[in-house]
Amino acid sequence: MPRLSSLLALAAVPLVLAHSNHQTADLTAEEIANKDAWFSKYGKTGDLSFTGVTSFAHLPHVRCLDEPGQELDVAIIGMPFDSAVSFRPGARFGPFGIRSGSRRQTKIRGYSSVTGINPYQSGYSVIDCGDVPISPFDPSIAIPQVADAYASLLSRKVPNATAFEGLGFAKGLDGELHPRVISLGGDHTIVLPILESLHSVYGPISVIHFDAHIDTWNPKRYMGSLSPQADINHGTFFWHAYEKGFIKPGANIHAGIRTRFSGPEDLQDDVTAGFDLIHTYDLDDMGLEGITRKIKSRVGNGPVYISLDIDVADPSAAPATGTPESGGWSSRELRRIVQSMKGLNIVGMDIVEVAPAYDTNAELTSILAADLVYDFLNVLAGGVDGRQIQEKTAVHEEL
Ligand SMILES: *[C@@H]1O[C@H](CO)[C@@H](O)[C@H](O)[C@H]1NC(C)=O
Ligand SMILES: [Mn+2]
């Protein structure tokens, strides 16, 4: 312990010595424009957690759709669409809310004591690509907009392919490496056009679906078939993905399910659509290990898409969502399950159904959603394993 306090004292020295006269405003305009002068006087340049224009985790922001030459390793993109929901609207503000919830994340302070890595400094770039300008008026326009935007991002060159190859990431059917995109929803319907775009690059893919609801409802049983467009909504999109052949038969799984159903026929349709199911209560009986094992054995080694509806979390942790259901996983339980997804061949991820208007003033939902994106980035970067945690513990014991 004495060594710990002496280390802390040493760490503070450069800031104290940096400038002896803190009470005087003596930098010229030229010096302020020169980052070094500002740094040597005040010890910090750039954004603080609570300052600056809000990109995800203060990452570089590029409007990628307007910049076709922009190369991408990992891209974060907002999909502000909520015109196909059954209950509370508002997820069009989800990307805004999640970015706001991410403000305490930064590249220079991104090291995880759990995974032993900093996913913002893992040899490849993470860029906030802004939002897709999605029509709020007509889902028959909005859905192809999502597909076109996603396909555009997937088509970009991957500048740091070697960092990816070390992680064993799958290539597309064309033999090329494609960017990994993390989408911020938006209501869950956006996943249908996302799967369409991914399918055209990888062929049929498996889905790991965290949600309180199955979202494989056959539209004929789900409020009837009023029009082709009304059939495609946030409760039916996986049924369409199954019918269109975007997802691999028998290699998909839900986790966290607990809603009510019309009857057993809903669950029969779910099996037809190719899904297995982990109930929210299974955590009590199977534990983290059992859930992880069941998910991984279901999806295997092929390309996997992870879709996370924030309503999978208990409403006490994530009240700001369109169709909350009591009895969900705590934020700690959910984050551990998500962190355990390391090692899968992940081709894309999303967090959907964050509707910030229903959040607490403390931004509980937005902060959880942003932290889950951080967990996604850790999983992509190959973090989370027991050995790294032990090494971290050893460092701690040395101090
Ligand atoms: C990735 O590649 C780009 C372009 O070649 C390069 O500028 C950058 O330093 C590389 N590494 C990271 C972490 O972005
Ligand atoms: Mn959903």
Side-chain angles (χ1 to χ4, degrees):
M1 290 318 283
R3 282 189 61 196
L4 174 60
S5 49
S6 56
L7 268 177
L8 289 177
L10 273 177
V13 165
L15 285 186
V16 175
L17 294 184
H19 202 282
S20 53
N21 197 3
H22 281 166
Q23 312 224 337
T24 311
D26 58 1
L27 293 184
T28 64
E30 287 73 23
E31 282 171 333
I32 289 170
N34 169 354
K35 275 169 44 168
D36 294 340
W38 185 277
F39 185 85
S40 84
K41 184 170 181 191
Y42 295 115
K44 172 87 180 82
T45 54
D47 280 350
L48 300 171
S49 55
F50 52 87
T51 67
V53 176
T54 310
S55 64
F56 188 88
H58 304 268
L59 291 167
H61 168 227
V62 179
R63 250 192 216 91
C64 298
L65 297 181
D66 298 345
E67 304 287 343
Q70 177 66 47
E71 301 182 342
L72 297 170
D73 295 314
V74 175
I76 293 174
I77 188 145
M79 302 285 196
F81 170 77
D82 65 2
S83 304
V85 298
S86 56
F87 197 53
R88 304 197 297 208
R92 73 182 58 178
F93 297 102
F96 162 82
I98 299 170
R99 288 193 180 96
S100 176
S102 76
R103 282 172 296 170
R104 284 186 61 248
Q105 296 187 39
T106 59
K107 192 170 177 166
I108 52 163
R109 218 177 155 83
Y111 177 80
S112 164
S113 62
V114 177
T115 65
I117 59 167
N118 178 346
Y120 297 116
Q121 296 187 34
S122 286
Y124 51 75
S125 58
V126 187
I127 291 177
D128 186 335
C129 280
D131 294 334
V132 182
I134 301 176
S135 169
F137 302 123
D138 186 347
S140 76
I141 293 171
I143 289 169
Q145 282 178 316
V146 173
D148 283 339
Y150 206 88
S152 166
L153 299 185
L154 285 181
S155 73
R156 308 302 174 88
K157 233 184 120 201
V158 177
N160 304 106
T162 35
F164 268 3
E165 271 155 11
L167 296 168
F169 279 9
K171 296 180 174 170
L173 297 172
D174 57 2
E176 300 290 327
L177 208 55
H178 295 267
R180 264 52 184 175
V181 179
I182 298 177
S183 304
L184 312 178
D187 83 51
H188 221 150
T189 316
I190 63 164
V191 171
L192 180 63
I194 288 173
L195 289 173
E196 180 183 358
S197 302
L198 286 166
H199 175 262
S200 60
V201 170
Y202 297 100
I205 53 183
S206 296
V207 171
I208 299 170
H209 173 221
F210 294 97
D211 203 314
H213 314 87
I214 53 175
D215 297 357
T216 51
W217 275 280
N218 181 333
K220 293 192 180 61
R221 291 197 226 277
Y222 191 78
M223 303 196 190
S225 269
L226 297 176
S227 73
Q229 203 52 65
D231 276 2
I232 298 173
N233 59 59
H234 78 158
T236 63
F237 64 93
F238 274 137
W239 180 264
H240 294 280
Y242 146 68
E243 283 198 324
K244 288 171 188 286
F246 299 157
I247 57 177
K248 222 182 254 177
N252 313 288
I253 189 161
H254 311 289
I257 300 299
R258 61 190 182 277
T259 191
R260 294 166 296 277
F261 298 94
S262 326
E265 62 273 20
D266 289 357
L267 294 162
Q268 189 50 56
D269 285 343
D270 191 51
V271 171
T272 303
F275 279 83
D276 197 356
L277 185 153
I278 292 171
H279 194 276
T280 187
Y281 298 154
D282 285 338
L283 181 58
D284 301 326
D285 306 317
M286 297 165 67
L288 172 69
E289 295 266 316
I291 286 182
T292 304
R293 205 175 314 119
K294 183 165 177 177
I295 291 174
K296 289 188 165 175
S297 71
R298 177 72 172 179
V299 300
N301 297 324
V304 176
Y305 184 78
I306 297 184
S307 182
L308 191 149
D309 186 323
I310 198 68
D311 72 26
V312 70
D314 190 79
S316 58
T321 192
T323 49
E325 305 276 0
S326 61
W329 292 332
S330 71
S331 60
R332 186 193 76 248
E333 290 161 346
L334 176 59
R335 291 192 60 188
R336 284 199 76 191
I337 294 168
V338 168
Q339 286 162 9
S340 72
M341 294 298 104
K342 183 206 166 185
L344 294 169
N345 178 7
I346 295 163
V347 294
M349 303 164 123
D350 71 61
I351 296 198
V352 295
E353 300 281 350
V354 174
Y358 314 104
D359 216 351
T360 67
N361 287 344
E363 295 185 277
L364 292 186
T365 317
S366 290
I367 290 170
L368 173 57
D371 286 350
L372 285 162
V373 173
Y374 174 73
D375 292 334
F376 280 178
L377 290 164
N378 272 274
V379 166
L380 277 180
V384 186
D385 86 23
R387 186 180 51 75
Q388 283 165 333
I389 294 168
Q390 279 166 20
E391 279 171 11
K392 167 68 189 134
T393 309
V395 171
H396 193 70
E397 276 160 6
E398 266 173 41
L399 293 174

